[in-house]
Coordinates of all heavy atoms in Angstrom, one line a residue:
F103 N 37.0 7.2 -14.6 CA 36.0 6.9 -15.6 C 36.3 7.8 -16.8 O 37.0 8.8 -16.7 CB 34.6 7.2 -15.1 CG 34.3 8.5 -14.6 CD1 33.9 9.5 -15.5 CD2 34.5 8.9 -13.3 CE1 33.6 10.8 -15.1 CE2 34.2 10.2 -12.8 CZ 33.8 11.1 -13.7
R104 N 35.9 7.3 -18.0 CA 36.2 8.0 -19.2 C 35.5 9.4 -19.2 O 34.4 9.6 -18.9 CB 35.7 7.2 -20.4 CG 36.0 7.8 -21.8 CD 35.5 6.9 -22.9 NE 36.1 5.6 -22.8 CZ 35.9 4.6 -23.7 NH1 35.0 4.7 -24.6 NH2 36.5 3.4 -23.6
G105 N 36.4 10.4 -19.6 CA 35.9 11.7 -19.7 C 35.9 12.5 -18.4 O 35.3 13.6 -18.3
R106 N 36.5 11.9 -17.4 CA 36.4 12.6 -16.1 C 37.0 14.0 -16.1 O 36.4 14.9 -15.6 CB 37.2 11.7 -15.0 CG 37.1 12.3 -13.6 CD 37.9 11.4 -12.6 NE 39.3 11.4 -12.9 CZ 40.2 10.9 -12.0 NH1 39.8 10.3 -10.9 NH2 41.5 11.0 -12.3
E107 N 38.2 14.1 -16.6 CA 38.9 15.4 -16.7 C 38.1 16.4 -17.5 O 38.1 17.6 -17.2 CB 40.3 15.3 -17.2 CG 41.2 14.4 -16.3 CD 41.3 14.9 -14.8 OE1 41.4 16.2 -14.7 OE2 41.3 14.1 -13.9
F108 N 37.6 15.9 -18.6 CA 36.9 16.9 -19.5 C 35.6 17.4 -18.8 O 35.3 18.6 -18.8 CB 36.5 16.1 -20.8 CG 35.6 16.9 -21.7 CD1 36.1 18.0 -22.4 CD2 34.2 16.6 -21.8 CE1 35.2 18.7 -23.3 CE2 33.4 17.4 -22.6 CZ 33.9 18.4 -23.3
L109 N 34.9 16.5 -18.1 CA 33.7 16.9 -17.4 C 34.0 17.8 -16.3 O 33.2 18.8 -16.0 CB 32.9 15.7 -16.9 CG 32.2 14.8 -17.9 CD1 31.6 13.6 -17.3 CD2 31.1 15.6 -18.7
F110 N 35.1 17.6 -15.6 CA 35.5 18.5 -14.5 C 35.8 19.9 -15.1 O 35.5 20.9 -14.4 CB 36.7 17.9 -13.8 CG 37.1 18.7 -12.6 CD1 36.3 18.8 -11.5 CD2 38.4 19.3 -12.6 CE1 36.7 19.5 -10.4 CE2 38.7 20.1 -11.5 CZ 37.9 20.2 -10.4
K111 N 36.5 19.9 -16.2 CA 36.8 21.2 -16.8 C 35.5 22.0 -17.2 O 35.4 23.2 -17.1 CB 37.7 21.1 -18.0 CG 39.1 20.6 -17.6 CD 40.0 20.4 -18.8 CE 41.4 19.9 -18.4 NZ 42.2 19.6 -19.6
V112 N 34.5 21.2 -17.7 CA 33.2 21.8 -18.1 C 32.6 22.4 -16.9 O 32.0 23.5 -16.9 CB 32.3 20.8 -18.8 CG1 30.9 21.3 -18.9 CG2 32.9 20.3 -20.1
I113 N 32.6 21.7 -15.8 CA 32.0 22.2 -14.5 C 32.7 23.5 -14.1 O 32.1 24.5 -13.7 CB 32.1 21.1 -13.4 CG1 31.1 20.0 -13.7 CG2 31.7 21.7 -12.0 CD1 31.1 18.9 -12.7
L114 N 34.1 23.5 -14.1 CA 34.8 24.7 -13.8 C 34.5 25.8 -14.7 O 34.4 27.0 -14.3 CB 36.3 24.4 -13.8 CG 36.8 23.5 -12.7 CD1 38.3 23.4 -12.8 CD2 36.4 23.9 -11.3
A115 N 34.3 25.5 -16.0 CA 33.9 26.6 -17.0 C 32.6 27.3 -16.6 O 32.5 28.5 -17.0 CB 33.9 26.0 -18.4
T116 N 31.7 26.6 -16.0 CA 30.4 27.2 -15.6 C 30.6 28.4 -14.6 O 29.7 29.2 -14.5 CB 29.5 26.2 -15.1 OG1 30.0 25.6 -13.8 CG2 29.2 25.1 -16.1
M117 N 31.7 28.4 -13.9 CA 32.0 29.5 -13.0 C 32.2 30.8 -13.7 O 32.1 31.9 -13.1 CB 33.2 29.1 -12.1 CG 33.0 27.9 -11.2 SD 34.5 27.5 -10.3 CE 34.8 28.9 -9.3
M118 N 32.5 30.8 -15.0 CA 32.8 32.0 -15.7 C 31.5 32.6 -16.3 O 31.5 33.6 -16.9 CB 33.8 31.7 -16.9 CG 35.2 31.3 -16.4 SD 36.4 31.2 -17.7 CE 35.7 29.7 -18.5
I119 N 30.4 31.9 -16.2 CA 29.1 32.4 -16.7 C 28.5 33.3 -15.7 O 28.2 32.9 -14.5 CB 28.1 31.2 -17.0 CG1 28.7 30.2 -18.0 CG2 26.8 31.8 -17.5 CD1 27.9 29.0 -18.3
P120 N 28.3 34.6 -16.0 CA 27.7 35.5 -15.0 C 26.3 35.0 -14.6 O 25.5 34.5 -15.4 CB 27.6 36.8 -15.8 CG 28.6 36.7 -16.9 CD 28.6 35.2 -17.3
A121 N 25.9 35.2 -13.3 CA 24.7 34.8 -12.8 C 23.5 35.4 -13.5 O 22.4 34.8 -13.7 CB 24.6 35.0 -11.3
F122 N 23.6 36.7 -13.9 CA 22.5 37.4 -14.5 C 22.1 36.8 -15.9 O 21.0 37.1 -16.4 CB 22.7 38.9 -14.5 CG 23.8 39.3 -15.4 CD1 23.6 39.5 -16.8 CD2 25.1 39.6 -14.9 CE1 24.7 39.8 -17.6 CE2 26.1 39.9 -15.7 CZ 25.9 40.1 -17.1
V123 N 23.1 36.1 -16.5 CA 22.8 35.6 -17.8 C 21.7 34.5 -17.7 O 20.9 34.3 -18.6 CB 24.1 35.0 -18.5 CG1 23.8 34.3 -19.8 CG2 25.1 36.2 -18.7
T124 N 21.8 33.7 -16.7 CA 20.9 32.6 -16.5 C 19.6 32.9 -15.7 O 18.8 32.1 -15.4 CB 21.6 31.4 -15.8 OG1 22.1 31.8 -14.5 CG2 22.8 30.9 -16.6
L125 N 19.5 34.2 -15.3 CA 18.5 34.6 -14.4 C 17.1 34.4 -15.0 O 16.2 33.8 -14.4 CB 18.7 36.1 -14.0 CG 17.9 36.5 -12.7 CD1 18.3 35.7 -11.5 CD2 18.1 38.0 -12.5
V126 N 16.9 35.0 -16.2 CA 15.6 34.9 -16.9 C 15.3 33.5 -17.3 O 14.1 33.0 -17.0 CB 15.6 35.8 -18.1 CG1 14.3 35.6 -18.9 CG2 15.7 37.3 -17.7
P127 N 16.2 32.7 -18.0 CA 15.8 31.3 -18.3 C 15.5 30.5 -17.1 O 14.5 29.6 -17.1 CB 17.1 30.8 -19.0 CG 17.8 32.0 -19.5 CD 17.5 33.1 -18.5
T128 N 16.2 30.7 -16.0 CA 15.9 29.9 -14.8 C 14.5 30.2 -14.2 O 13.7 29.4 -13.8 CB 17.0 30.2 -13.7 OG1 18.2 29.9 -14.2 CG2 16.7 29.3 -12.5
Y129 N 14.2 31.5 -14.3 CA 12.9 31.9 -13.8 C 11.8 31.3 -14.7 O 10.7 30.9 -14.1 CB 12.7 33.5 -13.7 CG 11.4 33.9 -13.2 CD1 11.2 34.1 -11.8 CD2 10.3 34.2 -14.0 CE1 10.0 34.6 -11.3 CE2 9.1 34.6 -13.5 CZ 9.0 34.8 -12.2 OH 7.8 35.2 -11.7
V130 N 12.0 31.3 -16.0 CA 11.0 30.8 -16.9 C 10.8 29.3 -16.6 O 9.6 28.8 -16.6 CB 11.4 31.0 -18.3 CG1 10.5 30.2 -19.3 CG2 11.4 32.5 -18.7
I131 N 11.9 28.6 -16.4 CA 11.8 27.1 -16.1 C 10.9 26.9 -14.8 O 10.0 26.1 -14.8 CB 13.2 26.5 -15.9 CG1 13.9 26.5 -17.3 CG2 13.1 25.1 -15.4 CD1 15.3 26.0 -17.2
F132 N 11.3 27.6 -13.7 CA 10.5 27.4 -12.5 C 9.1 27.9 -12.6 O 8.2 27.3 -11.9 CB 11.2 28.2 -11.4 CG 12.6 27.6 -11.0 CD1 13.6 28.4 -10.7 CD2 12.7 26.2 -10.9 CE1 14.9 27.9 -10.3 CE2 14.0 25.7 -10.5 CZ 15.0 26.5 -10.2
S133 N 8.9 28.9 -13.4 CA 7.5 29.3 -13.7 C 6.7 28.2 -14.4 O 5.5 28.0 -14.0 CB 7.5 30.6 -14.5 OG 6.2 31.1 -14.7
K134 N 7.3 27.6 -15.4 CA 6.6 26.5 -16.1 C 6.3 25.3 -15.2 O 5.3 24.6 -15.3 CB 7.5 26.0 -17.3 CG 7.7 27.1 -18.3 CD 6.4 27.4 -19.1 CE 6.6 28.4 -20.3 NZ 5.4 28.7 -21.0
L135 N 7.2 25.1 -14.2 CA 7.0 24.0 -13.2 C 6.0 24.4 -12.1 O 5.7 23.6 -11.2 CB 8.3 23.7 -12.6 CG 9.4 23.0 -13.5 CD1 10.7 22.8 -12.8 CD2 8.9 21.6 -14.0
H136 N 5.5 25.7 -12.1 CA 4.6 26.2 -11.1 C 5.3 26.2 -9.7 O 4.6 25.9 -8.7 CB 3.3 25.4 -11.1 CG 2.6 25.4 -12.4 ND1 1.9 26.4 -12.9 CD2 2.5 24.4 -13.3 CE1 1.4 26.1 -14.1 NE2 1.7 24.9 -14.4
W137 N 6.5 26.5 -9.7 CA 7.3 26.6 -8.4 C 7.4 28.0 -7.9 O 7.9 28.2 -6.8 CB 8.7 26.0 -8.6 CG 8.7 24.5 -8.7 CD1 7.6 23.7 -8.7 CD2 9.9 23.7 -8.8 NE1 8.0 22.4 -8.8 CE2 9.4 22.3 -8.9 CE3 11.2 23.9 -8.8 CZ2 10.3 21.3 -9.0 CZ3 12.1 22.9 -8.9 CH2 11.6 21.6 -9.0
V138 N 6.9 29.0 -8.6 CA 7.0 30.4 -8.2 C 6.1 30.5 -6.9 O 5.0 30.0 -6.9 CB 6.6 31.4 -9.3 CG1 6.6 32.8 -8.8 CG2 7.6 31.2 -10.5

Side-chain angles (χ1 to χ4, degrees):
F103 56 90
R104 182 177 299 179
R106 182 181 69 170
E107 297 302 321
F108 174 76
L109 288 176
F110 183 66
K111 292 177 181 178
V112 170
I113 290 177
L114 292 184
T116 61
M117 296 175 63
M118 296 185 291
I119 302 176
F122 64 84
V123 173
T124 61
L125 198 61
V126 174
T128 304
Y129 182 87
V130 171
I131 291 174
F132 290 141
S133 179
K134 295 292 185 181
L135 293 172
H136 303 288
W137 286 3
V138 176

